[in-house]
């Protein structure tokens, strides 16, 4: 009798595997059983993919083309942080300002500030994230501010947020500091606790916004020496360590739950911008003295953060658009401030390697302007 039982068990096991494969689901243990998530494995809506009856355009595939009509503004824009005004800080070359992205088989419309402001009339657009998202916010403000009379624009501050106001258009372009999206708080003995399941202290600033653009990646992968927290907390559980990608998925899942439960897609458009690449190998000197984009990448690598992000977005009910800028920006190791994040005197210029090299942020004008041209095109839909 043992043989029929064994055959029955084999049949049940085979049937289970077949059903998993048939429904396109992976046969593995899920980290969490989130009943609020949509069980349908919908494809992530990629911002760069355009479909019509004649052609298909993927904005993430293409090449950088030198264009003397760029940049669209100069480093005298009063809204730029000192750390990204590379020309003012003494960077001797300026070609990094003159490259535009040419997608394969199509083109990105040149940014038109008046057209953009006209479409954003009486709207709030908010960029949420870390200092690289602040980098992008400064770019967007500089792209529009030149067409607005001096007395008809201003910047206001509220908690972790700042807003540029184009008063005649009743438009605000805002930035909200939330590098981890979820809450980072001080606990007993002044220990920093990252609450993977709490978000409202940050999210309360996102309510009532018409267009939300998020990013969160870099802070999750900081090494122990540079980590922003001492402990993770989820529910009543306190953890000294956790796999960074597991923690990232938990944090993003909290964000996704908030978006699903609190926002109305008829009133709010949500975009998640993918990870901005860093060129920090060789202790940050990989980007020093680089003057041209790479023609191609020696190997294609999809960051772990991107895979986690795509998985979370697939399970959401709310239609979030994923703007993939990772590969195109990976070609631009010439676009970082390196040692030109500050003004150096003549003596310091003789020994630039005595100073730190920033290969994470971007000179402005520069690469984030192209991200915003992509964003502008998306918002025309």
């Amino acid at each position: 009798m043992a043989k029929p039982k064994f055959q029955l068990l084999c049949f049940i096991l085979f049937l289970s595997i077949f059903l998993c494969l048939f429904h396109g689901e992976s046969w593995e243990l899920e980290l969490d059983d989130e009943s609020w998530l949509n069980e349908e494995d919908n494809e992530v809506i990629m911002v760069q993919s355009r479909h019509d009856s004649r052609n298909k355009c993927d904005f993430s595939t293409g090449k950088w083309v030198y264009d003397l009509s760029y940049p669209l503004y100069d480093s005298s824009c009063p809204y730029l942080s000192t750390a990204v005004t590379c020309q003012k800080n003494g960077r001797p070359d300026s070609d990094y300002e003159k490259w535009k992205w040419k997608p394969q088989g199509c083109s990105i419309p040149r940014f038109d500030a008046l057209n953009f402001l006209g479409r954003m009339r009486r709207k709030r657009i908010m960029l949420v994230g870390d200092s690289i998202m602040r980098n992008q916010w400064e770019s967007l403000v500089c792209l529009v501010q030149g067409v607005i009379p001096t007395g008809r624009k201003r910047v206001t501050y509220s908690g972790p947020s700042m807003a540029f106001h184009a008063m005649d258009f009743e438009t605000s372009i805002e930035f909200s500091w939330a590098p981890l999206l979820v809450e980072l708080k001080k606990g007993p003995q002044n220990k920093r606790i990252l609450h993977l399941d709490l978000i409202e202290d940050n999210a309360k600033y996102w309510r009532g916004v018409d267009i939300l653009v998020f990013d969160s990646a870099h802070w999750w992968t900081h090494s122990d020496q540079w980590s922003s927290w001492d402990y993770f907390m989820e529910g009543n559980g306190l953890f000294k360590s956790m796999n960074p990608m597991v923690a990232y998925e938990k944090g993003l899942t909290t964000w996704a739950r908030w978006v699903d439960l609190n926002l109305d897609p008829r009133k709010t458009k949500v975009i998640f911008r993918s990870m901005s690449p860093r060129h920090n190998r060789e202790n940050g000197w990989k980007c020093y003295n680089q003057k041209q984009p790479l023609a191609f990448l020696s190997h294609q690598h999809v960051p772990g953060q991107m895979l986690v992000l795509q998985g979370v977005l697939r399970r959401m009910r709310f239609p979030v658009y994923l703007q993939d800028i990772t590969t195109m920006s990976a070609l631009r190791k010439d676009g970082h401030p390196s040692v030109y994040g500050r003004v150096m005197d003549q003596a310091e210029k003789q020994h630039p390697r005595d100073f730190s090299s920033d290969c994470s942020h971007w000179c402005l004008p520069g690469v984030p302007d192209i991200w915003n041209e992509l964003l502008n095109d998306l918002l025309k839909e």
Side-chain angles (χ1 to χ4, degrees):
M1 295 299 293
K3 188 172 182 180
K5 287 184 179 180
F6 176 76
Q7 290 174 337
L8 179 62
L9 287 172
C10 289
F11 174 77
I12 292 171
L13 180 61
F14 173 80
L15 183 62
S16 299
I17 296 173
F18 175 79
L19 289 174
C20 286
L21 293 173
F22 181 80
H23 288 286
E25 297 172 357
S26 58
W27 194 43
E28 61 186 17
L29 181 65
E30 293 293 333
L31 291 173
D32 295 286
D33 180 18
E34 299 287 357
S35 60
W36 60 273
L37 290 172
N38 188 350
E39 293 299 324
E40 293 180 8
D41 190 21
N42 294 325
E43 289 299 315
V44 177
I45 303 173
M46 298 294 288
V47 169
Q48 289 81 2
S49 296
R50 291 295 184 80
H51 301 269
D52 59 32
S53 58
R54 293 168 299 173
N55 58 29
K56 174 183 176 182
C57 181
D58 180 0
F59 282 178
S60 66
T61 303
K63 62 182 179 180
W64 289 96
V65 177
Y66 193 75
D67 189 332
L68 287 171
S69 69
Y70 282 71
L72 302 177
Y73 59 90
D74 61 45
S75 57
S76 65
C77 174
Y79 302 99
L80 293 178
S81 301
T82 300
V84 300
T85 54
C86 302
Q87 287 296 293
K88 281 187 173 182
N89 294 341
R91 180 167 173 167
D93 62 304
S94 62
D95 280 355
Y96 65 90
E97 299 179 337
K98 297 179 174 65
W99 296 91
K100 71 176 182 181
W101 182 246
K102 177 67 173 67
Q104 187 173 334
C106 58
S107 61
I108 303 169
R110 188 180 179 88
F111 191 92
D112 183 325
L114 284 174
N115 178 275
F116 176 84
L117 288 168
R119 288 184 288 109
M120 295 297 109
R121 187 181 296 275
R122 299 186 184 89
K123 286 185 170 63
R124 295 175 62 193
I125 177 171
M126 178 181 283
L127 282 62
V128 181
D130 56 19
S131 57
I132 298 176
M133 188 60 96
R134 164 73 183 264
N135 214 176
Q136 185 176 354
W137 176 80
E138 292 183 6
S139 161
L140 186 56
V141 169
C142 288
L143 284 167
V144 304
Q145 68 90 26
V147 301
I148 305 170
T150 302
R152 306 303 299 164
K153 53 191 172 186
R154 62 192 177 98
V155 174
T156 59
Y157 301 86
S158 175
S161 300
M162 60 182 71
F164 172 85
H165 300 269
M167 297 159 67
D168 292 332
F169 294 88
E170 300 177 64
T171 298
S172 65
I173 301 171
E174 308 174 34
F175 168 73
S176 187
W177 174 258
L180 297 157
L181 299 181
V182 292
E183 298 176 16
L184 181 64
K185 295 181 175 182
K186 288 291 180 69
Q189 301 179 332
N190 222 29
K191 294 296 184 180
R192 302 162 302 168
I193 300 176
L194 182 59
H195 293 264
L196 297 173
D197 53 1
L198 297 181
I199 199 168
E200 186 59 36
D201 281 358
N202 295 326
K204 63 186 179 184
Y205 295 98
W206 312 338
R207 298 179 185 274
V209 177
D210 299 284
I211 299 161
L212 284 162
V213 184
F214 292 95
D215 101 297
S216 183
H218 285 294
W219 280 45
W220 292 94
T221 57
H222 286 173
S223 63
D224 291 342
Q225 180 183 359
W226 302 106
S227 176
S228 303
W229 57 83
D230 300 301
Y231 295 96
F232 296 98
M233 192 166 188
E234 186 179 28
N236 295 321
L238 193 66
F239 309 93
K240 180 62 178 175
S241 63
M242 186 180 295
N243 181 294
M245 290 301 97
V246 172
Y248 184 51
E249 182 176 35
K250 289 177 180 290
L252 281 184
T253 298
T254 298
W255 165 84
R257 181 192 298 112
W258 185 90
V259 170
D260 270 346
L261 297 179
N262 291 276
L263 298 183
D264 183 345
R266 295 168 297 182
K267 297 179 180 178
T268 306
K269 176 170 278 190
V270 177
I271 298 156
F272 207 110
R273 197 210 70 212
S274 70
M275 182 180 185
S276 171
R278 293 175 290 187
H279 298 93
N280 280 339
R281 285 176 296 170
E282 298 178 12
N283 295 320
W285 291 101
K286 196 70 176 177
C287 72
Y288 174 67
N289 208 29
Q290 297 297 314
K291 298 180 180 178
Q292 286 191 333
L294 298 172
F296 58 91
L297 296 174
S298 57
H299 64 281
Q300 293 288 342
H301 171 66
V302 180
Q305 294 95 322
M306 176 70 96
L307 298 175
V308 171
L309 174 60
Q310 289 175 334
V312 171
L313 295 186
R314 282 192 188 100
R315 298 193 297 268
M316 292 180 69
R317 290 190 296 267
F318 195 102
V320 176
Y321 296 82
L322 174 58
Q323 182 183 8
D324 181 5
I325 55 84
T326 303
T327 302
M328 63 185 288
S329 305
L331 297 168
R332 293 301 310 275
K333 62 181 180 179
D334 61 310
H336 299 289
S338 186
V339 298
Y340 301 106
R342 55 185 284 275
V343 177
M344 293 188 291
D345 60 32
Q346 288 301 318
E348 290 173 330
K349 289 179 181 178
Q350 302 304 312
H351 304 282
R353 285 187 173 266
D354 291 345
F355 304 93
S356 61
S357 176
D358 180 358
C359 295
S360 296
H361 299 91
W362 301 92
C363 295
L364 290 177
V367 172
D369 302 331
I370 307 302
W371 301 349
N372 283 323
E373 286 194 313
L374 289 169
L375 176 63
N376 174 50
D377 196 52
L378 163 69
L379 297 177
K380 290 178 180 178
E381 296 182 349

